[in-house]
Amino acid sequence: MKKVIAPEQEKYEVIYEKILFNKITEAFSWRERPKDMWELSFETATIIMPDDEIALKQFLGKNWQDITFDIYVNYDDALYVFTPSAYAYYLPGLLITSAKAMDIAIAEDEAIVRAEAEAEAKAKAIDIALGRTRAKVRAKARAKARAKARAIAIAEAEAIGKQKARIKDFVINKIVLWIMDFEKILSESHLFERWATLTIEEYLAVKAWLIWITREDTYQDDEDIYQNDESVCQNNVMNSLISLDKLIGLAKQREK
């Protein structure tokens, strides 16, 4: 059974996220929307395909603040053909909208837990109310109440399950473990060029986001902990942070 987040913890997370979003916004505030949005390269196979063109049109003429999480998810092809300047410009939007989307996923998860708890409490209340009736009638009423509670919980879980899984899959598997595979970024020139344009403050904002988005209980479920080995995902995050620190070190050398 998942634990319900205490109100004090929820308040702390709201405050921390506000600080984090301000940090991200301020770090990237100096950037202007680039005129050159994409680049062609036979060496890196970044050739504009019909799907790429459709994806890029979702960003044309828009500030990063106008890009929704759904656009990043449904048209993520654009992220692979952006110029380095375009990639850096739209990066803060990706960070902030994905963090907000994870909040929604977690809140929905919490709602299910609360609904199950409330249903269980109602079932117990029925037990007490029927405490003086015959055992057979009481058992039947209790079974009916519990069945109804379970049906409600299952219906709610099915209604939001796909959307929640889609959000977590994109944020963790697509962004953290793929787009932000910093170990790979350090070894591949095309990827490195896209990230080498960031300033120290921008890197630090990305690092703060990465630590926050992969905090304990955010990306792991009780029944889904990488084949019962929590250290696998934790090691991936740790390696990513180490490689990110190397990029920060290189940025410090450039800015001397």
Side-chain angles (χ1 to χ4, degrees):
M1 174 67 72
K2 299 183 192 316
K3 60 183 179 180
V4 177
I5 299 176
E8 296 79 8
Q9 179 68 15
E10 289 181 340
K11 183 177 180 180
Y12 162 78
E13 292 187 353
V14 170
I15 294 173
Y16 184 90
E17 271 204 343
K18 184 176 181 180
I19 295 173
L20 174 62
F21 294 164
N22 286 339
K23 182 182 182 71
I24 294 171
T25 301
E26 290 176 6
F28 288 85
S29 62
W30 67 278
R31 292 187 177 274
E32 297 181 355
R33 193 173 69 228
K35 294 180 180 179
D36 297 328
M37 292 287 288
W38 64 84
E39 57 186 358
L40 302 177
S41 173
F42 289 97
E43 294 180 359
T44 57
T46 53
I47 302 172
I48 301 299
M49 302 298 288
D51 288 345
D52 299 331
E53 190 173 356
I54 292 173
L56 286 166
K57 286 181 178 179
Q58 309 305 313
F59 294 83
L60 288 176
K62 296 180 181 178
N63 296 325
W64 69 259
Q65 295 91 338
D66 301 325
I67 307 300
T68 65
F69 180 70
D70 284 339
I71 290 178
Y72 284 111
V73 173
N74 297 322
Y75 302 99
D76 63 310
D77 289 340
L79 298 173
Y80 301 95
V81 291
F82 274 152
T83 59
S85 58
Y87 187 85
Y89 176 76
Y90 288 103
L91 184 57
L94 178 63
L95 302 178
I96 292 176
T97 59
S98 60
K100 289 181 178 179
M102 285 290 279
D103 286 345
I104 294 173
I106 294 170
E108 289 173 340
D109 219 12
E110 287 291 305
I112 292 175
V113 174
R114 289 191 174 96
E116 290 175 342
E118 290 174 1
E120 185 68 20
K122 289 179 180 178
K124 290 181 178 179
I126 291 174
D127 281 348
I128 295 173
L130 298 174
R132 295 183 179 180
T133 64
R134 291 179 300 172
K136 185 176 181 179
V137 175
R138 186 170 67 250
K140 185 177 180 180
R142 181 171 62 249
K144 183 178 180 180
R146 290 185 184 279
K148 183 178 179 180
R150 282 194 296 270
I152 293 173
I154 291 173
E156 290 179 346
E158 289 179 347
I160 66 173
K162 289 184 178 180
Q163 177 66 7
K164 185 183 71 171
R166 179 168 171 260
I167 291 173
K168 287 191 174 183
D169 177 70
F170 184 82
V171 175
I172 300 302
N173 295 328
K174 194 82 171 188
I175 301 178
V176 175
L177 302 180
W178 189 359
I179 294 175
M180 295 188 182
D181 183 350
F182 292 109
E183 187 174 358
K184 187 176 181 181
I185 289 167
L186 284 168
S187 63
E188 295 191 11
S189 59
H190 171 63
L191 297 176
F192 180 77
E193 289 174 0
R194 294 156 68 82
W195 282 87
T197 62
L198 268 62
T199 66
I200 294 174
E201 290 303 316
E202 288 171 336
Y203 278 127
L204 291 175
V206 172
K207 183 177 181 179
W209 174 90
L210 181 58
I211 292 172
W212 175 248
I213 210 71
T214 56
R215 67 195 184 278
E216 187 180 3
D217 294 335
T218 296
Y219 60 93
Q220 292 177 342
D221 292 333
D222 294 342
E223 66 280 1
D224 181 21
I225 52 176
Y226 287 78
Q227 296 179 351
N228 297 322
D229 186 2
E230 297 183 22
S231 63
V232 173
C233 196
Q234 292 171 354
N235 286 340
N236 285 336
V237 174
M238 184 58 65
N239 290 335
S240 187
L241 289 170
I242 292 172
S243 297
L244 181 54
D245 281 337
K246 292 179 181 179
L247 286 170
I248 293 174
L250 293 173
K252 289 179 178 179
Q253 293 177 17
R254 291 197 305 270
E255 296 183 17
K256 282 183 178 180

